[in-house]
Amino acid sequence: MTDFLQLVISGTATGACYALAALGFTLLWQASGTINFALGEMIMLPAFTMLFFLGPAGLPLWAAFALTVVASLVVLGAGFKALVVDPLIRHGVIPLVIATLGLSIGFKNLVRVGYSAQVFTFPSIFPDELLDIGGLRVSGADIGTVVLALTVAAGVQTFLSRTLTGRAMQAVAQNRDAARVLGINAGRMVLYAFLINAALAALTALLVTPVYLAKFDMGDTLGLKAFYAAIIGGFNNSRGALLGGVIVGVLENLVGAYISPGYKEGVALVLFLLVIVFRPQGLLGRAEERKV
Amino acid sequence: MKPWQLLALAAGVVGLFLLPLGLRNYGMYVAALWCVYVIAGMGLNLTVGYAGQISLGQAAFLGIGAYTAGLMAKAGVPFPLIVLASASLCFVIGLALGFPALRVQHHYLAFATLGFNMLCYLVFRNEEWLTGGTFGLNGIPRPDILGWPFTRTAEFYKLSVAVMLVLAALMAGLLRSPWGRAFAALRDNPIRAESVGINTTFYTLMAFAIGAAYAGVAGALFAPLVGLVEPASFSTATSLSMLLMVIVGGSGRFFGPAIGAVIVVLLPEWLRVAADWYLAIFGLAIVVMMVWLPGGLLSLPDRLARR
C-alpha cells in the first residue's frame, strides 16, 4: 500500500509537468487551431538556454530562468506566431502540422550540431531530501513540483475564466468573427495564447530538466506525453489537460512497477487510442461539429 | 502523356538499370534503400496524397513487413511467398487501421495513426521471443529466386528496381481506373462524394489497406537488403520522415515520393559527415517550403508557369 501511494505521488509529480506542457498545447489549439508538433523542442530549447546562462554566463538560477522566460516569449511565443503560424494558418491544420514537424527536426539537430549531443545535468530548484509523512517517504522535489505546477495551472485557469482579457481569449477561441464584432482585438488575444504557451514551456523546462536531464532529443518523450495528456483530457478544454497529465503520469508509474517496465507507456497509449476512437473530444471536452 | 514525357520516363528506367555500372557497393546499397522508401512512399502517397487521409503510421507497416520477411527468410521460405505474405499481412492490418479513420478525421486521425505506430514500436521492442527485442533480428539472408541468386548488392538493387517499377505500374493503373477518381472525390469533399453515391467507407478502408500493403512489400525488401531488422528503424521518427518525403516531393503527384525519397533518405545517407547540419537545415527548410511552396517541389513548374 505504501509503495502504491508513493508511486501515485511521484507519478502525479511527473504528470503535473506533462499537464503544464499540455496546457500550453490546448491553449494554442483553442486560440488559433495550431497543433504544435514542436512542443517538446519548445521545452528543450529553454532548458539549454538556461544551461547557457548558468554555465558560460555564470548567472544564478533565478536570473537564468527570468532571462530564459524573456527569450522564450520573444522567440517561441511572438516569433513562432509571426514567422510560422500566421503565414500558414489559412491553409488549414495539416500544413501547420507538417511545418511544426519540420521545426522539431530543425531545432533538435541545430542543438545537436551547434551545441552538443551530450547529456547535461541540471540543478533542481527544490531541496533534494526525503520527507517522512505518516510512513510515506516522499521526495521534496516531487511535492514542490506538484504544488508549483498545480498553482500555475490553476492560475492560468483563473486568468482564463475570471479576468476580462481571459474571457476575451475564450471568446476568440469559440468564435473569432463574433468576438471581433464585439470589439475584441482577436489578433492580440491569439498572441497572448502564444506568449502563455512560451512561458509555460520555459517553466516546464525548469521543472522537468533536473529529472529528465538536458539532451537535444529530450523533447521527443516529453512532447509525446504532453500530447497524450492533452488528448486524453480533451484538448479543447484546459482543465482536461490537467486531468490527462496526471492520468498519464500515474499510469506510467503504476504500469512500470506492477506490469512491465517495457510497456510503461503502453497503457497510457492504449487509453489514448481508445479516447481518440470513441471519444475524440477527450474525457472533459466538448464535441466539435463536422463542417461541409 | 506527351511523347517527350514518355521518352524521359524510358530514359529514366534505363538509367536506373545502368546505375550499378557507375556506383560502388555502398552507393548501390543506398540506391536500393531509395527503392525501398519509394515503394513505401508510393503507398503513403495513395493514402495521404490521393485519398486525403493523413497517416503518421507508415513506418509501422514497413516494420511489420520487415519482421515478417526476416522471420520467414530465416525459416527458409521462398522470396516471392515472403513478399506476398508481408503484403497481405499489412493489407489486413491496414484495413483494421482504416476503421478509426471512418470515425475521426484530420488531426485526430494523425494522432490515432501516430499512436498505432508507437504501439507497434513497443511490441517490436518488447516481444523478445518473436522480434529479438532491442537487438532485433540479424543475419537475414538475401534471396534466391528460381535458382538465381540476389546475394550481391548490385543484383539485389536490380531486383528492388524491378519490384518498384512493377508496383509503380500497378499504382498508375489503379489511379487511372474509376478507383482513382473515387479516391480523389473522397479527398476533395467526402460528404459530396457520399452524396453522389461513392461508398466512402469502402474507399477509405482501401486507401489505408493498399497503402499499407505497399509498405509491406517495401519491408520485405528492407529486411534482406539491410540484413538486420531492429525496432529503431520503425519508430515514429521514420513515419514522420516518410510523411515529409511525400509532402516535399508533392503530395498527390505520382513522382512525388521518388523526389522526396532522394531528399529525405538518400542525401542524409550520402552526406554522412554533414548529416546533422543537413537535417537541421532540412527541418527549417520544410517550414519555409510550407509557407512558399505548400504543393511540394513538383508543383514548382506549375507555379512558375502561372507567373
Side-chain angles (χ1 to χ4, degrees):
Chain A
M1 193 60 199
T2 343
D3 282 352
F4 177 78
L5 282 177
Q6 261 159 235
L7 286 170
V8 169
I9 292 172
S10 67
T12 312
T14 335
C17 297
Y18 298 158
L20 274 188
L23 188 60
F25 184 84
T26 59
L27 275 178
L28 282 200
W29 168 253
Q30 289 176 52
S32 66
T34 305
I35 291 177
N36 182 10
F37 267 92
L39 179 67
E41 280 63 41
M42 293 196 170
I43 297 169
M44 181 270 292
L45 283 181
F48 273 92
T49 317
M50 270 186 270
L51 274 179
F52 170 77
F53 284 131
L54 286 171
L59 293 176
L61 187 56
W62 64 267
F65 177 64
L67 284 175
T68 303
V69 170
V70 174
S72 182
L73 289 177
V74 174
V75 178
L76 302 178
F80 174 55
K81 176 176 182 288
L83 295 178
V84 180
V85 178
D86 284 348
L88 277 175
I89 194 69
R90 60 203 153 84
H91 298 303
V93 178
I94 300 301
L96 253 178
V97 167
I98 311 277
T100 52
L101 277 179
L103 212 56
S104 143
I105 296 176
F107 282 160
K108 241 187 312 214
N109 288 289
L110 267 186
V111 169
R112 173 152 76 165
V113 286
Y115 192 66
S116 169
Q118 275 166 343
V119 183
F120 297 90
T121 54
F122 193 91
S124 172
I125 51 169
F126 300 111
D128 192 25
E129 52 192 276
L130 286 174
L131 306 174
D132 201 321
I133 307 171
L136 279 179
R137 299 177 67 77
V138 185
S139 88
D142 280 354
I143 299 207
T145 306
V146 173
V147 171
L148 187 60
L150 291 183
T151 314
V152 170
V156 171
Q157 193 62 45
T158 318
F159 168 74
L160 285 178
S161 55
R162 294 293 148 94
T163 65
L164 195 59
T165 320
R167 294 184 72 95
M169 281 173 70
Q170 287 196 317
V172 172
Q174 276 165 17
N175 189 333
R176 205 180 170 126
D177 294 327
R180 241 193 222 123
V181 171
L182 292 173
I184 295 172
N185 184 341
R188 172 164 298 181
M189 296 306 137
V190 173
L191 178 64
Y192 288 159
F194 277 82
L195 294 179
I196 295 176
N197 175 53
L200 285 175
L203 182 64
T204 313
L206 182 71
L207 290 178
V208 296
T209 325
V211 186
Y212 267 73
L213 304 177
K215 198 182 170 207
F216 69 94
D217 62 357
M218 67 185 273
D220 287 354
T221 6
L222 267 173
L224 204 69
K225 299 297 167 55
F227 217 57
Y228 291 168
I231 289 157
I232 291 174
F235 79 137
N236 51 27
N237 180 314
S238 6
R239 246 165 314 181
L242 273 183
L243 177 71
V246 175
I247 289 181
V248 172
V250 171
L251 269 182
E252 198 174 80
N253 252 4
L254 293 181
V255 175
Y258 292 117
I259 302 179
S260 141
Y263 283 106
K264 201 172 159 206
E265 50 192 288
V267 177
L269 182 61
V270 170
L271 181 63
F272 162 88
L273 286 173
L274 288 177
V275 164
I276 285 190
V277 175
F278 295 106
R279 203 181 149 77
Q281 70 273 31
L283 296 177
L284 295 182
R286 279 169 285 105
E288 286 168 36
E289 270 150 37
R290 184 160 94 143
K291 285 182 202 147
V292 177
Chain B
M1 253 188 187
K2 291 175 197 133
W4 70 267
Q5 282 173 321
L6 218 57
L7 216 62
L9 193 63
V13 170
V14 172
L16 280 177
F17 278 108
L18 289 182
L19 202 60
L21 296 176
L23 285 175
R24 294 214 201 122
N25 227 357
Y26 178 66
M28 223 105 68
Y29 168 82
V30 175
L33 205 59
W34 174 77
C35 294
V36 169
Y37 282 102
V38 171
I39 295 172
M42 276 196 290
L44 188 62
N45 197 19
L46 178 75
T47 319
V48 175
Y50 289 101
Q53 309 292 316
I54 185 133
S55 166
L56 293 177
Q58 192 75 345
F61 293 114
L62 185 70
I64 293 169
Y67 274 105
T68 311
L71 289 169
M72 290 177 83
K74 292 186 119 181
V77 179
F79 190 69
L81 271 184
I82 294 182
V83 172
L84 205 65
S86 293
S88 326
L89 183 62
C90 287
F91 184 87
V92 173
I93 299 177
L95 206 61
L97 187 68
F99 279 100
L102 299 174
R103 292 187 57 97
V104 296
Q105 282 286 311
H106 305 301
H107 43 287
Y108 289 112
L109 187 57
F111 301 150
T113 48
L114 192 74
F116 166 75
N117 203 143
M118 295 291 305
L119 204 59
C120 288
Y121 174 79
L122 283 182
V123 172
F124 294 154
R125 200 190 59 192
N126 292 331
E127 299 304 316
E128 275 175 30
W129 58 275
L130 185 67
T131 63
T134 1
F135 300 109
L137 303 171
N138 55 19
I140 296 162
R142 292 204 181 140
D144 274 357
I145 299 173
L146 302 173
W148 192 289
F150 288 94
T151 32
R152 287 178 49 230
T153 310
E155 304 303 319
F156 197 82
Y157 163 74
K158 283 180 192 158
L159 176 68
S160 312
V161 171
V163 174
M164 178 179 83
L165 291 177
V166 170
L167 288 177
L170 285 176
M171 179 66 78
L174 180 77
L175 292 172
R176 288 170 75 96
S177 76
W179 283 47
R181 309 278 157 137
F183 285 137
L186 186 65
R187 170 191 63 196
D188 294 338
N189 192 330
I191 295 176
R192 196 190 295 156
E194 204 169 359
S195 73
V196 295
I198 290 170
N199 185 345
T200 48
T201 307
F202 175 76
Y203 285 104
T204 308
L205 293 178
M206 278 302 134
F208 272 96
I210 298 174
Y214 268 66
V217 177
L221 286 171
F222 180 94
L225 171 66
V226 182
L228 165 72
V229 182
E230 50 168 356
S233 320
F234 315 111
S235 65
T236 47
T238 315
S239 275
L240 301 182
S241 32
M242 281 197 201
L243 181 69
L244 290 179
M245 197 170 102
V246 170
I247 304 276
V248 168
S251 85
R253 283 170 192 271
F254 192 76
F255 293 100
I259 306 282
V262 171
I263 292 166
V264 181
V265 185
L266 216 52
L267 286 181
E269 191 72 39
W270 240 313
L271 303 170
R272 268 281 155 89
V273 193
D276 297 341
W277 275 113
Y278 176 81
L279 279 175
I281 294 166
F282 165 73
L284 301 177
I286 292 282
V287 181
V288 176
M289 196 194 87
M290 288 318 289
V291 175
W292 294 105
L293 199 67
L297 288 178
L298 286 177
S299 71
L300 197 59
D302 291 356
R303 178 86 176 254
L304 292 177
R306 247 188 291 137
R307 284 262 158 100

